[in-house]
């Protein structure tokens, strides 16, 4: 065995998968996982752990995998993470745990994410229970939003004996895991539903179709609603547009609209009622995970998909693996290109997008080289659908209907980093609602920190 | 699940349903709407709240079966349940937030078209509760399409029916009637609120602009989530892009780009036509000629 080479993992053939919504990566087999685990040097001072936002004891769980003791591996992971099947699939590992793996210096880093996913999938298939809830302690907590932050906060509190109720605005729980990230990266019926069923088994009650701030307010939950504390994990779901001419033409969508129609409403399945409209040539504007997901969805729905991004390949914020997968499937990358106008036909439908070429200039505050327009380089892209994937911001609904809950200029809820406590007594917050769009693992970690802080506080009260 | 406590046929293909939704019944205000999903595979359909009662916990909606999803919905009967019923969404009507004394000084006219009578009713009722009886014009295809007449008459001032075929009340468009009242009958209004098909609202606004009467419209853009998450409902108002679901549904009618709004309503027309066809007649292929245009006159 070559210690410096990763154990290959099987994936659906790119030509095949570009036409279906089944998961791309098929995961390791037992033997493959053990082989990959045996590459790990079990470092005394591991480079991996400090770069995992929740500091999973990576060498320890991997050494159990090496021995074939997957149950013990699952328990090690469960000490730090409550959504390993999700994070093993969607974490940007190359910039986190795998970034400073010592093996990465001379060869390929350990496939930590893939091993985590293997352990999580194995324990799901073998019905391994990693936790036992304590008896009811007489206290009630309301959790707003059922994304990764809300789910993990609710899970931790339920294990500590709290009666927890999650209120979710949409008709299905899961947040971005359900409406945003597509099926081909994160299977809903197996992985996400399992996490939610587990919470229900812990006694967490989930009420969908409740919009906090509209159906009922935080103040009502705390005063008269019988809740001792509230956690806000409402995410950052508001889409941005470019504000360029022609953007309201028929055929211009936000990535959120396309993804919600397809993932949450299952528009790709003919027996579901929600329609979706993807033309023959689709431009997706943006370079993050959301843009990749939208482009690969458009491709699967039969369009020719282009990523239009104003910087170069190196600056693409999406996960490397997704960019690689997108390329394999046939997504075309139009880099250093920025739209300036959307052109519509006489009936108001998109018939083209006027773009300008960019070059990289001096580094900006973020340290990335700033894209600058090349004068006179405008050209017309022949497209009939444009999908804007320019990022999202938190919904102002909750702060605007909750007295004393303060936000910053970016509409993010102000919360203490270590506890999630907001400017309002008994109200905690975490995840994208606090940070703006970030990652699943950070949202999960924030939910868990807030759960600990809520417990710390409520266990002192009699 | 949300149980249908009562169902009533108001006019051909137009039903009133009273749904058990106590939380919404308690917080709803005139001008707001709900999103309804009929069953597991259904889509999210926005419908205006027509009436609500915090004591019984019932919320009334009026639904016109125009396409595949609304046709599925009206198949349900009393005792059946809707899978989802979310709300109250959107901002309450401007009237419901206004100072009551200021409101009492205004002469208000409502202009409703088709099922637009449903969202007008709770506003009339609210005003009536404050001792204000506004005038109403209700337009419909013919007499048997006129809905909620008795309910509205009970809470309004002058009630003016108009029908396309002249089978009841004024023969002609609501705009002709409104202009007749203003120009020939000496009626003065400080505010017009108009709800109905986009094309009707567009022409009402054109008319009231001529007479300098402030006009509020309630837009029925295509929606998905109804919470500001997707941008499907965006409209241009006063040159700016606004999201109907969270910034509306009411806007100053004189600032709305109706041509764009009407065009955007047609985005999914061909997809919907396929679905409707499949539902009506799985064997038949080809023609989509039977499509109802959503009550647009
Ligand atoms: C398309 C897409 C792809 C992504 N890909 C990745 C990836 O590969 N890797 C990664 O790490 N991260 C990825 N992310 C980011 C990641 O999904 C988010 O950072 C994470 O989901 C944030 O979790 P959260 O719990 O804060 O919020 P969310 O997951 O956004 O959940 C918030 C929930 O709260 C609900 N809610 C909002 N307001 C209310 C209210 N008023 N009342 C009741 N409920 C409410 C919402 O409906 C939603 O269900 C992606 C995001 C998107 C959109
Ligand atoms: C805020 C709001 C309040 C509404 N209140 C009511 C109400 O109280 N009663 C009622 O019957 N309807 C109401 N509507 C309209 C209702 O939501 C649509 O009729 C319904 O979504 C059509 O669904 P469908 O699948 O049956 O028809 P589709 O097959 O989707 O459409 C049939 C026809 O209607 C058009 N259409 C699609 N969506 C809309 C829409 N949102 N508005 C207008 N035309 C549309 C299509 O272009 C097509 O021509 C409201 C819409 C909004 C946004
Ligand atoms: S949670 Fe994410 S960062 Fe941490 S080990 Fe797992 S994949 Fe790596
Ligand atoms: S740094 Fe790499 S080799 Fe070392 S313990 Fe972590 S995963 Fe194993
Ligand atoms: S309906 Fe999605 S933003 Fe308005």
């Amino acid at each position: 065995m070559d210690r410096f080479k990763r154990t290959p993992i099987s994936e659906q053939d790119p030509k095949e998968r570009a036409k279906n919504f089944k998961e791309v990566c098929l995961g390791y087999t037992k033997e493959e996982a053990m082989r990959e685990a045996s590459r790990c040097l079990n470092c005394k001072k591991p480079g991996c752990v400090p770069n995992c936002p929740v500091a999973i004891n990576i060498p320890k769980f991997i050494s159990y995998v090496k021995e074939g003791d997957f149950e013990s591996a699952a328990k090690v992971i469960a000490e730090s993470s409550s959504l390993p099947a999700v994070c093993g699939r969607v974490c940007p590992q190359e910039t986190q745990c795998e970034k400073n793996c010592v093996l990465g210096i001379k060869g390929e880093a350990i496939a930590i994410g893939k091993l985590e996913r293997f352990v999580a999938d194995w324990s799901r298939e073998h019905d391994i229970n990693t936790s036992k809830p304590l008896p009811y302690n007489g206290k009630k907590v309301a959790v707003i939003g059922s994304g990764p932050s809300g789910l993990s906060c609710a899970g931790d509190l339920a294990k500590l004996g709290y009666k927890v109720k999650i209120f979710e605005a949409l008709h299905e729980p899961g947040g971005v895991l359900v409406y945003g990230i597509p099926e081909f990266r994160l299977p809903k019926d197996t992985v996400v539903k399992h996490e939610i069923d587990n919470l229900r088994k812990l006694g967490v009650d989930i009420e969908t179709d409740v919009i906090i701030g509209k159906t009922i307010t935080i103040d009502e939950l705390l005063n008269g609603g019988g809740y001792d504390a509230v956690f806000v994990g409402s995410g950052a779901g508001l889409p941005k547009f470019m504000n360029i001419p022609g953007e309201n033409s028929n055929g211009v969508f936000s990535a959120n609209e396309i993804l919600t129609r397809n993932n949450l409403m299952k528009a790709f399945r003919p027996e579901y009622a929600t329609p979706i409209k993807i033309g023959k040539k689709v431009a997706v504007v943006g370079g993050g995970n959301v843009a990749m997901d939208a482009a690969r969805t458009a491709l699967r729905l039969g369009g020719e998909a282009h990523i239009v991004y104003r910087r170069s390949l190196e600056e693409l914020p999406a996960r490397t693996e997704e960019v690689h997968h997108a390329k394999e499937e046939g997504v075309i990358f139009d880099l250093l290109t920025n739209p300036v106008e959307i052109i519509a036909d006489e009936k108001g439908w998109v018939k083209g997008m006027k773009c300008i070429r960019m070059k990289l200039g001096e580094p900006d505050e973020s340290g990335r080289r700033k894209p600058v327009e090349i004068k006179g380089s405008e050209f017309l892209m022949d497209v009939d659908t444009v999908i804007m994937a320019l990022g999202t911001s938190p919904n102002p609904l909750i702060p605007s209907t909750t007295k004393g809950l303060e936000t910053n200029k970016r509409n993010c809820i102000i919360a203490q980093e270590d506890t999630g406590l907001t400017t309002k007594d008994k109200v905690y917050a975490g995840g994208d609602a606090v940070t703006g769009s970030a990652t699943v693992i950070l949202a999960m970690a924030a939910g868990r920190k807030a759960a600990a802080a809520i417990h710390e506080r409520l266990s002192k009260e009699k | 699940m949300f149980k249908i406590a009562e169902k009533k046929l108001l006019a051909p293909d137009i039903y009133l349903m009273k749904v058990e939704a106590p939380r919404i019944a308690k917080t709803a205000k005139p001008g707001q709407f709900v999103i309804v999903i009929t069953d597991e595979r259904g889509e999210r359909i926005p419908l205006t709240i027509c009436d609500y009662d915090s004591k019984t916990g019932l919320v009334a909606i009026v639904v016109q079966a125009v396409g595949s999803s609304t046709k599925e919905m009206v198949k349900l009967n009393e005792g059946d349940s809707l899978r989802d019923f979310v709300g109250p969404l959107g901002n309450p009507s401007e009237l419901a937030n206004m100072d009551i004394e200021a409101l009492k000084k205004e002469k208000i006219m409502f202009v409703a078209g088709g099922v637009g009578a449903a969202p007008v009713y709770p506003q009339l009722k609210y005003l009536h509760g404050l001792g204000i009886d506004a005038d109403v014009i209700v337009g419909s295809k013919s007499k048997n399409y006129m809905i909620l007449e008795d309910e509205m008459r009970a809470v309004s001032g002058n009630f003016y029916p108009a029908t396309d075929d002249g089978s009841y009340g004024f023969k002609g468009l609501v705009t002709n009637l409104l202009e007749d009242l203003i120009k020939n009958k000496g009626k003065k209004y400080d505010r017009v609120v108009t709800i109905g098909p986009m094309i009707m609202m567009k022409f009402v606004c054109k008319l009231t602009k001529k007479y300098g009467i402030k006009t509020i419209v309630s837009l029925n853009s295509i929606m998905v989530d109804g919470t500001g998450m997707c941008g499907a409902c965006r409209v241009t108002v006063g040159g700016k892009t606004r999201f109907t679901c969270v910034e509306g549904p009411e806007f100053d009618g004189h600032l709305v780009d109706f041509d764009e709004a009407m065009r955007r309503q047609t985005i999914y027309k061909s997809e919907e036509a396929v679905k409707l066809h499949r539902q009506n007649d799985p064997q038949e292929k080809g023609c989509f000629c039977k499509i109802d245009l959503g009550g647009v006159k």
Side-chain angles (χ1 to χ4, degrees):
Chain A
M1 187 189 84
D2 182 351
R3 177 142 242 152
F4 294 104
K5 271 198 101 70
R6 232 176 223 202
T7 311
I9 196 159
S10 37
E11 286 171 351
Q12 261 199 85
D13 180 71
K15 280 207 190 64
E16 201 46 49
R17 72 179 193 241
K19 288 180 264 166
N20 68 45
F21 280 90
K22 286 189 239 148
E23 195 171 12
V24 168
C25 175
L26 304 172
Y28 279 142
T29 63
K30 218 158 91 176
E31 292 71 30
E32 287 165 347
M34 288 165 72
R35 173 143 45 102
E36 178 64 8
S38 69
R39 292 206 299 135
C40 174
L41 301 171
N42 202 350
C43 306
K44 284 264 143 25
K45 271 197 169 164
C48 52
V49 179
N51 279 321
C52 166
V54 296
I56 291 181
N57 191 336
I58 296 167
K60 192 164 166 197
F61 102 73
I62 292 186
S63 65
Y64 280 124
V65 175
K66 186 157 77 183
E67 292 159 20
D69 181 358
F70 307 131
E71 183 165 349
S72 301
K75 285 185 175 142
V76 172
I77 297 174
E79 286 165 18
S80 318
S81 171
S82 53
L83 296 169
V86 177
C87 295
R89 284 175 167 83
V90 306
C91 258
Q93 286 104 9
E94 69 276 5
T95 60
Q96 297 183 354
C97 53
E98 294 172 14
K99 186 178 170 198
N100 290 341
C101 166
V102 287
L103 287 175
I105 301 168
K106 275 201 184 156
E108 290 180 296
I110 297 279
I112 302 170
K114 300 279 189 288
L115 288 175
E116 183 180 341
R117 166 191 162 154
F118 167 79
V119 171
D121 287 353
W122 185 90
S123 55
R124 179 179 69 246
E125 282 149 20
H126 291 79
D127 230 354
I128 301 302
N129 203 344
T130 45
S131 65
K132 279 193 201 68
L134 295 172
Y136 178 42
N137 64 15
K139 299 227 156 70
K140 276 168 73 182
V141 180
V143 169
I144 301 168
S146 58
S149 66
L151 293 176
S152 45
C153 183
D156 278 11
L157 287 169
K159 285 177 208 161
L160 289 165
Y162 291 85
K163 181 119 199 61
V164 184
K165 183 157 186 172
I166 301 182
F167 294 99
E168 168 55 51
L170 293 170
H171 59 281
E172 290 290 347
V176 171
L177 307 183
V178 164
Y179 79 72
I181 304 181
E183 186 71 23
F184 54 81
R185 284 215 284 140
L186 185 62
K188 312 291 165 234
D189 282 349
T190 43
V191 178
V192 182
K193 192 167 167 290
H194 177 79
E195 298 299 344
I196 288 159
D197 287 346
N198 269 350
L199 275 190
R200 290 207 167 101
K201 274 188 218 151
L202 285 171
V204 174
D205 189 8
I206 305 179
E207 188 174 342
T208 52
D209 297 336
V210 179
I211 301 171
I212 302 296
K214 286 280 182 189
T215 320
I216 183 167
T217 62
I218 289 186
D219 290 301
E220 285 165 345
L221 291 174
L222 287 171
N223 311 318
Y227 291 96
D228 300 289
V230 174
F231 173 76
V232 184
S234 52
L238 295 198
K240 293 193 181 107
F241 285 91
M242 290 189 87
N243 293 318
I244 55 173
E247 213 172 3
N248 288 349
S249 306
N250 288 10
V252 184
F253 306 97
S254 74
N256 262 9
E257 177 175 354
I258 295 294
L259 292 170
T260 304
R261 283 181 183 274
N262 208 59
N263 302 334
L264 178 73
M265 306 310 296
K266 302 205 171 12
F268 68 97
R269 289 164 65 172
E271 67 275 24
Y272 282 73
T274 301
I276 193 161
K277 182 131 197 156
I278 288 291
K280 292 198 177 64
K281 279 190 157 192
V282 185
V284 178
V285 184
N289 286 321
V290 183
M292 297 306 137
D293 285 345
R296 296 169 71 197
T297 298
L299 187 96
R300 281 162 171 76
L301 293 169
E304 174 187 295
H306 293 249
I307 288 279
V308 176
Y309 181 57
R310 62 195 179 122
R311 300 183 200 243
S312 72
L313 200 60
E314 284 83 74
E315 289 86 16
L316 271 179
R319 294 181 62 212
T320 317
E321 184 179 347
E322 306 314 330
V323 176
H324 171 70
H325 280 158
K327 281 189 176 159
E328 278 186 341
E329 289 162 9
V331 173
I332 301 158
F333 285 72
D334 296 301
L335 302 165
L336 291 166
T337 303
N338 206 28
V340 288
E341 183 179 352
I342 291 160
I343 316 286
D345 64 15
E346 65 289 349
K347 286 193 174 140
W349 286 87
V350 175
K351 67 165 184 190
M353 183 163 78
K354 199 163 127 197
C355 297
I356 188 159
R357 303 246 187 244
M358 311 292 279
K359 63 177 181 215
L360 292 179
E362 296 298 307
D364 61 13
E365 317 85 67
S366 72
R368 295 187 301 175
R369 291 177 65 194
K370 208 175 147 159
V372 282
E373 294 183 349
I374 303 176
K375 285 227 163 53
S377 66
E378 285 92 346
F379 68 102
L380 192 70
M381 237 182 121
D382 170 28
V383 293
D384 57 8
T385 305
V386 177
I387 300 175
M388 294 294 178
L390 308 156
T392 52
S393 61
N395 195 322
L397 179 63
I398 290 178
S400 71
T401 53
T402 311
K403 246 187 256 120
L405 188 67
E406 283 170 28
T407 54
N408 65 19
K409 311 194 272 300
R410 289 158 48 234
N411 275 336
C412 298
I413 298 175
I414 296 170
Q416 288 174 13
E417 199 176 327
D418 49 339
T419 61
L421 183 65
T422 65
T423 53
K424 188 177 169 75
D425 190 31
K426 295 184 187 169
V427 179
Y428 296 75
D432 284 5
V434 169
T435 56
S437 350
T439 58
V440 170
I441 187 76
L442 287 172
M444 190 208 84
R448 301 197 71 187
K449 274 186 202 160
I454 291 171
H455 178 54
E456 161 92 16
R457 178 191 167 129
L458 294 185
S459 55
K460 279 193 201 127
E461 284 175 9
K462 270 283 153 278
Chain B
M1 301 292 268
F2 298 81
K3 197 162 143 200
I4 300 167
E6 213 179 304
K7 179 187 176 190
K8 205 159 81 186
L9 180 70
L10 298 181
D13 281 334
I14 303 177
Y15 292 86
L16 178 127
M17 291 186 184
K18 288 191 180 171
V19 180
E20 289 176 6
R23 282 214 169 101
I24 303 175
K26 216 164 115 191
T27 46
K29 295 226 168 63
Q32 291 186 296
F33 63 95
V34 286
I35 283 197
V36 183
I37 306 179
T38 304
D39 57 31
E40 198 57 41
R41 292 171 179 177
E43 72 186 300
R44 297 174 66 94
I45 307 174
L47 295 168
T48 313
I49 296 172
C50 174
D51 205 359
Y52 46 90
D53 183 346
S54 61
K55 282 194 218 77
T56 58
L58 296 181
V59 175
I61 49 172
V62 170
V63 49
Q64 180 174 28
V66 290
S68 57
S69 295
T70 41
K71 284 187 180 165
E72 278 306 310
M73 189 188 297
V74 302
K75 282 186 196 158
L76 296 184
N77 289 312
E78 279 177 17
D80 292 342
S81 290
L82 295 160
R83 185 189 188 275
D84 300 277
F85 199 82
V86 202
L89 292 161
N91 297 306
S93 147
E94 188 181 289
L95 293 170
N97 283 329
M98 272 173 67
D99 175 61
I100 294 166
E101 290 314 310
L103 206 53
K104 281 186 171 159
K105 291 198 190 93
E106 283 198 13
K107 188 80 188 120
I108 306 169
M109 165 62 101
F110 285 86
V111 182
V115 275
V120 159
Y121 172 66
Q123 302 199 30
L124 287 172
K125 188 174 159 186
Y126 169 82
L127 292 175
H128 182 73
L130 300 175
I132 305 167
D133 285 338
D135 287 356
V136 206
I137 294 174
V138 181
S140 68
K141 268 195 275 198
S142 62
K143 185 170 193 325
N144 59 335
Y145 280 92
M146 181 107 358
I147 59 168
L148 302 173
E149 179 177 347
D150 296 341
E151 289 83 348
M152 282 194 279
R153 277 186 188 276
V155 292
S156 61
N158 296 313
F159 183 89
Y160 304 102
T163 50
D164 295 355
D165 62 0
S167 54
Y168 188 46
F170 182 88
K171 179 177 189 318
L173 300 173
V174 292
T175 40
N176 302 141
L177 175 53
L178 180 60
E179 182 150 37
D180 181 52
L181 291 172
I182 299 169
K183 209 162 85 182
N184 308 323
K185 307 266 158 58
K187 294 279 180 187
K188 280 209 161 43
Y189 295 103
D190 303 302
R191 172 191 297 262
V192 168
V193 179
T194 178
I195 312 182
M198 286 274 190
I199 186 91
M200 180 199 94
M201 293 191 279
K202 172 181 167 175
F203 284 103
V204 170
C205 289
K206 238 179 158 165
L207 180 73
T208 55
K209 193 155 188 191
K210 191 167 90 184
Y211 289 100
I213 308 171
K214 178 182 170 109
T215 301
I216 302 291
V217 296
S218 176
L219 299 182
N220 51 355
S221 334
I222 290 178
M223 295 188 178
V224 184
D225 56 295
T227 63
M229 216 178 79
C230 73
C233 62
R234 59 197 197 277
V235 288
T236 302
V237 183
K240 276 214 193 91
T241 295
R242 312 285 295 269
F243 286 13
T244 306
C245 67
V246 286
E247 300 178 87
E250 280 190 356
F251 291 104
D252 178 342
H254 294 153
L255 299 178
V256 172
D257 181 343
F258 280 105
D259 294 332
E260 179 191 279
M262 284 191 278
R263 199 189 72 215
R264 289 187 57 79
Q265 273 192 337
T266 65
I267 292 180
Y268 294 100
K269 217 160 176 175
S270 52
E271 282 71 19
E272 289 291 359
V274 172
K275 283 204 161 122
L276 189 63
H277 227 66
R278 208 186 273 139
Q279 184 185 43
N280 283 352
D281 208 342
Q283 257 74 47
E284 202 176 331
K285 299 184 203 92
C287 111
F288 302 138
C289 48
K290 288 182 289 189
I291 307 309
D292 190 318
L293 295 185
V296 174
K297 289 197 280 190

